[in-house]
Amino acid sequence: MSTERRAPLDRKRVADTALKLLNEVGLDGLTLRTIARELDVKAPALYWHFKDKQALLDEMATEMYRRMVAGTPLDAGDTWQERLLTSNRALRTELLGYRDGAKVFSGSRFTGLEHAGQMEESLRLFTAAGFTLAQAVRATSTTYLYTLGFVTEEQGVEPLPGERREGFDVAERARLMADFPLSAEAGAELFRDYGRHFEEGLALVVSGIEVRYGVA
Amino acid sequence: MSTERRAPLDRKRVADTALKLLNEVGLDGLTLRTIARELDVKAPALYWHFKDKQALLDEMATEMYRRMVAGTPLDAGDTWQERLLTSNRALRTELLGYRDGAKVFSGSRFTGLEHAGQMEESLRLFTAAGFTLAQAVRATSTTYLYTLGFVTEEQGVEPLPGERREGFDVAERARLMADFPLSAEAGAELFRDYGRHFEEGLALVVSGIEVRYGVA
DNA sequence: CCATTCTCCTTAACGCTGTTAAATTCCGCT
DNA sequence: AGCGGAATTTAACAGCGTTAAGGAGAATGG
């Protein structure tokens, strides 16, 4: 008889499993009972490791951030523009890696202070490039907030890359908007080719920082 | 005996009541039973008017948009910069008018096509100013997505203007981040003075559009 | 070596949620 | 008077996050 004792849970294993499940069931379907079942445990066991479900979501967001950092080698010799592009592309990619990734991420707060290292390094790079601290914060956080907003909307239409939520037929939309020709035509621009559009918006923000803070 | 018959519900009255309640109980506390009670009705009655809760949330978002438009007189003679500033300030103000306003708004889709009028007018203004349609869409939606991202984060810290969520003491945060001096100091910049920071980010985006699309 | 303590988990239950099915009430129409 | 549809209620269901109480097993210590 298998007297194998399952290794005890820990926060990381729970968060990892929850993130894996997230892609299959989405945020609405991600219940404590589902997560527990996958871990071969009953739901209340999770309360030993997390004070409530939000704390678990926070850990999931933190883990997403960790993975993003781990998967994004940053060159300390980057120009600030390169840094801004690289880190925001990485953020988008990471968020797109999970169904409802942006919602989970932006609805949570990091556990611990692990993110501070990365943040410090970025602020150092920006101030070294001639930004005041206030400008550095404005530059990075404006870009960050754009990315978050972008991916949130993007995932509202495409929950996972290539997978389309119903009711977003571009042609159908254009037909309905026959009386608004510009808006109708804009549909293609709005609901397709997210990658390209993200880049374009990102470039707009970067250009704004260049010109307004005079640090080309 | 009061044989007064309550006027039958309609989508607008339900959405209005739900929006009023939203400020008192927040998105998590906004249940169909609460809304129904306020309308002097039982919860299943709402299903006569909405196919499910999301449809009600969609109507709420649409109503928010209607109110924003109604409360924001737009001058057809605006420069595109003025239009961008005015409409995004209006959006932020409207979203801040409701607890979890940004979450409700960005998690929903408009019912109907009422928003198309406003959109058409904006696109007309931008193309008349020399933008291509693609540029006009990129300019307006990048700004829009920034605003959405901004207010979402803002309301994560200040659910309603002047009302602070716990665990966001700037001084406490600075103490914890003693090893990361720039990040610590950035706290003040990040979690205070949202109005000013919003304006600054908005200005960055507008500048970027100016320089990159060469339409000053 | 036994007793105690601590860690981690289970069983059982609670109140609440969104939602459905069926019955009911009320109004306008013929 | 009676029918039909609109609008609502009553009753119920499965599932949710969460809590309380208890139990098994390892670790500790006298």
Side-chain angles (χ1 to χ4, degrees):
Chain A
M1 57 278 201
S2 94
T3 44
E4 295 274 337
R5 306 255 322 127
R6 201 187 14 66
L9 261 43
D10 58 56
R11 294 175 62 96
K12 173 131 173 52
R13 268 200 41 222
V14 177
D16 285 349
T17 305
L19 280 173
K20 192 189 81 191
L21 272 170
L22 182 60
N23 271 356
E24 302 171 16
V25 299
L27 183 52
D28 283 352
L30 192 73
T31 73
L32 295 180
R33 285 164 165 79
T34 314
I35 300 166
R37 186 176 325 125
E38 185 79 11
L39 288 163
D40 209 29
V41 125
K42 300 299 153 71
L46 301 176
Y47 283 83
W48 181 261
H49 305 277
F50 300 93
K51 85 174 229 294
D52 57 18
K53 188 181 185 180
Q54 185 55 56
L56 167 52
L57 289 166
D58 289 347
E59 189 64 44
M60 290 168 67
T62 308
E63 177 62 23
M64 289 171 63
Y65 186 83
R66 275 188 219 109
R67 293 180 186 181
M68 179 189 81
V69 171
T72 315
L74 291 181
D75 186 340
D78 277 345
T79 64
W80 65 265
Q81 289 96 334
E82 289 166 337
R83 172 61 56 93
L84 227 38
L85 293 175
T86 314
S87 59
N88 280 280
R89 282 172 188 148
L91 176 58
R92 172 165 177 267
T93 302
E94 182 67 27
L95 297 180
L96 289 182
Y98 313 90
R99 170 167 267 132
D100 299 313
K103 245 187 194 150
V104 170
F105 192 81
S106 82
S108 306
R109 303 278 148 195
F110 293 141
T111 66
L113 293 173
E114 298 164 82
H115 62 290
Q118 178 93 346
M119 185 177 185
E120 192 73 9
E121 218 271 297
S122 257
L123 292 175
R124 215 151 35 210
L125 188 150
F126 273 77
T127 49
F131 289 79
T132 67
L133 179 59
Q135 287 175 335
V137 171
R138 251 347 84 198
T140 50
S141 86
T142 298
T143 318
Y144 171 79
L145 294 168
Y146 158 69
T147 301
L148 235 46
F150 187 99
V151 182
T152 302
E153 288 298 298
E154 178 177 8
Q155 289 188 319
V157 179
E158 286 191 12
L160 281 182
E163 187 180 316
R164 202 142 250 263
R165 203 160 300 206
E166 47 194 331
F168 271 96
D169 187 75
V170 172
E172 163 79 356
R173 183 180 173 284
R175 204 181 49 72
L176 289 171
M177 288 199 166
D179 292 344
F180 307 96
L182 296 175
S183 307
E185 199 181 337
E189 196 67 31
L190 279 170
F191 302 121
R192 270 208 286 258
D193 248 338
Y194 284 102
R196 204 160 54 73
H197 298 327
F198 173 70
E199 286 296 326
E200 181 65 18
L202 194 53
L204 285 176
V205 180
V206 172
S207 299
I209 298 167
E210 270 175 4
V211 57
R212 204 170 151 81
Y213 293 155
V215 201
Chain B
M1 58 277 208
S2 93
T3 43
E4 294 275 337
R5 305 260 317 130
R6 201 186 15 65
L9 262 40
D10 58 57
R11 294 175 63 94
K12 171 133 174 50
R13 268 199 42 223
V14 177
D16 286 349
T17 304
L19 280 173
K20 194 188 81 191
L21 272 170
L22 182 59
N23 271 355
E24 302 169 16
V25 299
L27 182 53
D28 283 352
L30 192 73
T31 73
L32 294 179
R33 284 165 168 86
T34 314
I35 299 167
R37 185 177 325 126
E38 185 80 12
L39 287 163
D40 210 28
V41 125
K42 300 301 155 69
L46 301 176
Y47 282 81
W48 183 260
H49 304 277
F50 300 93
K51 86 175 228 295
D52 58 16
K53 189 181 184 181
Q54 185 55 55
L56 167 51
L57 289 167
D58 289 348
E59 190 63 44
M60 291 169 66
T62 308
E63 177 61 23
M64 290 171 63
Y65 186 83
R66 276 188 218 107
R67 292 180 186 181
M68 179 189 82
V69 171
T72 314
L74 292 181
D75 186 340
D78 277 345
T79 64
W80 65 265
Q81 289 96 335
E82 290 167 336
R83 173 61 57 92
L84 226 38
L85 293 175
T86 313
S87 59
N88 280 278
R89 283 172 188 147
L91 176 57
R92 172 166 178 266
T93 303
E94 183 67 27
L95 297 180
L96 289 183
Y98 312 89
R99 169 167 268 132
D100 299 313
K103 246 187 194 149
V104 171
F105 192 81
S106 81
S108 306
R109 302 277 146 197
F110 294 142
T111 66
L113 293 173
E114 297 164 82
H115 63 288
Q118 179 91 349
M119 185 176 185
E120 192 73 8
E121 219 270 296
S122 257
L123 292 176
R124 215 151 34 210
L125 188 149
F126 273 77
T127 48
F131 288 78
T132 68
L133 180 59
Q135 287 175 335
V137 172
R138 254 343 86 198
T140 50
S141 86
T142 298
T143 318
Y144 171 79
L145 294 170
Y146 159 69
T147 301
L148 235 46
F150 187 98
V151 182
T152 301
E153 288 298 297
E154 178 178 7
Q155 289 188 319
V157 178
E158 286 191 12
L160 281 181
E163 186 179 315
R164 201 144 252 262
R165 204 158 296 201
E166 45 193 334
F168 271 97
D169 187 75
V170 172
E172 163 79 354
R173 182 180 174 283
R175 204 180 49 72
L176 288 171
M177 289 200 166
D179 292 343
F180 306 97
L182 295 175
S183 306
E185 200 181 335
E189 196 70 28
L190 279 169
F191 303 122
R192 270 208 286 259
D193 248 336
Y194 284 101
R196 203 161 54 72
H197 298 325
F198 173 70
E199 286 296 327
E200 182 64 19
L202 194 51
L204 285 177
V205 180
V206 172
S207 299
I209 298 167
E210 271 176 3
V211 58
R212 203 170 152 82
Y213 293 154
V215 201

